[in-house]
Amino acid sequence: MVFSVDDTWLLLDNQLCFALYATSRAVTKAYAPLLAPLGVTYPQYLVLLVLWEADGGTTPPGAPMTVGSLGGRLFLDSGTLTPLLKRLEAAKLVTRARSAEDERVVHVGLTAAGRKLRKKAEGIPAAMSCALGLNGDQIATLRDPLRKVLARLHQSSPAEEEVRD
Amino acid sequence: MVFSVDDTWLLLDNQLCFALYATSRAVTKAYAPLLAPLGVTYPQYLVLLVLWEADGGTTPPGAPMTVGSLGGRLFLDSGTLTPLLKRLEAAKLVTRARSAEDERVVHVGLTAAGRKLRKKAEGIPAAMSCALGLNGDQIATLRDPLRKVLARLHQSSPAEEEVRD
DNA sequence: CCTTATTAAATTGTGCCCAATAGAATTGCG
DNA sequence: CGCAATTCTATTGGGCACAATTTAATAAGG
């Protein structure tokens, strides 16, 4: 039995991209019950992860997070982040304020409630690891090649920054 | 230097789920220039893949595709598919028609233009393989564990079908 | 039969995502 | 300085994704 390359590669279940697309959606759905107690969506949770990190232990007042730096970490632009941050602000988890030095910039920070939410989130990674059926090694084994692909895609289509040759 | 487990696992760049989420979005974006000549989006392309398969060589008139069977393949429900199929219908690529035997069911089929589009799509998998920087083996090595995770997630949260014990 | 479940799609409402554009502030340069 | 590029955020508009509800048709049980 002979298949043409095209026939085989066009089959949905042979495609990596579809596996990626479907799994990503399924994972996001799997977060819903874990995030419900926190009252946030998965993209909102990602914003909080970045803010918790920036807020973190050593020398807390590093450069404050902005819409742009958040977008740099999450690969999202203001078109997505602005309304999302407004919802987090309405939920009283984050603050948004124009920078005094540069009025173009909007600083994003955690409220006390937002900081406090971190405690309730600490069990989530372990719960997801269990839901996915993967241990730490297996997670790394899957994560690292994905980050390689991601880096390559961002290289060929950089998120607006200068491309150095 | 000692990190608590929670600290390490909450770091964005350690998370598999974020790598999945970010890579999936980047991949969808990478499809845009490849799909632009066909005039469809990535989810619309996925629907066409399923229809092309069902339309395919051996014994063409297998059971006709329906909104439900399409959703079964793509893990999407009518809330997503109905408007998407209406757009594909408006683009004259697919047909939608109530089944005569069961008026609840909507048959989805390809128009001549939809069938013809397959030719223009045949180069896409190879182009993506190149854009991702992965050969066939590497694609399989990444795809198969993703499908395992996907299967597990669909098992714990089945898409509405009966759960057998 | 005839009523009650069940099923398939469609609809509604909320929240992403992203491209394109617009506004406003700042920077660079002549 | 003055003004043209640049930068940062917000806005607009289209297209997913999904939960929850609705509508219509069929199946099942008494």
Side-chain angles (χ1 to χ4, degrees):
Chain A
M1 180 75 98
V2 177
F3 294 103
S4 85
V5 172
D6 294 326
D7 277 357
T8 298
W9 288 23
L10 278 182
L11 292 180
L12 184 72
D13 291 340
N14 286 346
Q15 299 213 357
L16 168 61
C17 299
F18 174 65
L20 214 49
Y21 161 83
T23 307
S24 175
R25 283 191 296 120
V27 165
T28 298
K29 229 188 275 197
Y31 268 99
L34 304 178
L35 294 176
L38 317 206
V40 298
T41 65
Y42 181 61
Q44 290 168 9
Y45 168 69
L46 293 178
V47 166
L48 291 177
L49 285 184
V50 174
L51 293 176
W52 288 331
E53 247 177 76
D55 195 50
T58 63
T59 58
M65 294 303 297
T66 68
V67 173
S69 56
L70 269 175
R73 289 296 303 279
L74 301 175
F75 312 111
L76 294 170
D77 64 14
S78 70
T80 300
L81 283 175
T82 295
L84 189 156
L85 290 170
K86 283 182 178 174
R87 284 185 283 270
L88 282 178
E89 187 184 32
K92 305 206 180 308
L93 296 175
V94 311
T95 57
R96 288 183 335 124
R98 290 271 165 198
S99 163
E101 313 90 63
D102 186 340
E103 290 278 343
R104 292 171 302 181
V105 173
V106 169
H107 289 316
V108 180
L110 287 165
T111 64
R115 226 179 311 267
K116 204 170 153 200
L117 215 55
R118 189 181 179 289
K119 277 270 171 295
K120 292 178 75 171
E122 275 172 359
I124 291 180
M128 272 308 299
S129 165
C130 174
L132 300 178
L134 302 175
N135 63 34
D137 284 350
Q138 295 168 316
I139 285 175
T141 299
L142 213 40
R143 179 195 63 221
D144 294 346
L146 284 177
R147 301 238 38 146
K148 272 215 163 103
V149 169
L150 183 59
R152 185 188 176 97
L153 290 175
H154 284 153
Q155 198 156 15
S156 34
S157 157
E160 212 54 39
E161 329 183 28
E162 211 50 41
V163 182
R164 48 193 127 289
D165 54 307
Chain B
M1 180 79 85
V2 177
F3 294 103
S4 85
V5 172
D6 293 326
D7 278 356
T8 297
W9 288 23
L10 277 182
L11 292 179
L12 185 71
D13 291 341
N14 286 346
Q15 298 212 358
L16 167 61
C17 297
F18 174 66
L20 214 50
Y21 162 83
T23 306
S24 175
R25 284 190 298 120
V27 165
T28 298
K29 229 188 276 196
Y31 268 100
L34 304 178
L35 293 177
L38 317 208
V40 298
T41 65
Y42 181 61
Q44 290 168 11
Y45 168 69
L46 293 178
V47 166
L48 290 177
L49 284 184
V50 175
L51 293 176
W52 288 332
E53 246 177 78
D55 196 50
T58 62
T59 58
M65 294 303 297
T66 68
V67 172
S69 57
L70 227 31
R73 289 296 303 279
L74 301 175
F75 312 112
L76 293 170
D77 63 14
S78 70
T80 300
L81 284 175
T82 295
L84 189 157
L85 290 170
K86 282 182 180 174
R87 285 185 283 271
L88 282 178
E89 187 184 33
K92 305 205 180 307
L93 296 175
V94 311
T95 57
R96 289 184 334 124
R98 289 272 166 199
S99 162
E101 313 91 63
D102 186 340
E103 292 278 343
R104 291 171 303 180
V105 172
V106 168
H107 290 316
V108 180
L110 288 164
T111 64
R115 227 179 310 267
K116 203 169 153 200
L117 215 56
R118 190 181 179 286
K119 277 270 170 293
K120 292 178 75 171
E122 275 172 358
I124 291 179
M128 272 308 300
S129 165
C130 175
L132 301 178
L134 302 175
N135 63 33
D137 283 350
Q138 294 168 317
I139 285 174
T141 299
L142 212 40
R143 186 232 293 136
D144 293 346
L146 284 177
R147 301 236 41 145
K148 271 218 164 101
V149 170
L150 182 59
R152 185 188 175 96
L153 290 175
H154 284 154
Q155 198 158 14
S156 33
S157 157
E160 213 52 42
E161 329 183 28
E162 210 51 41
V163 183
R164 48 194 124 288
D165 55 306

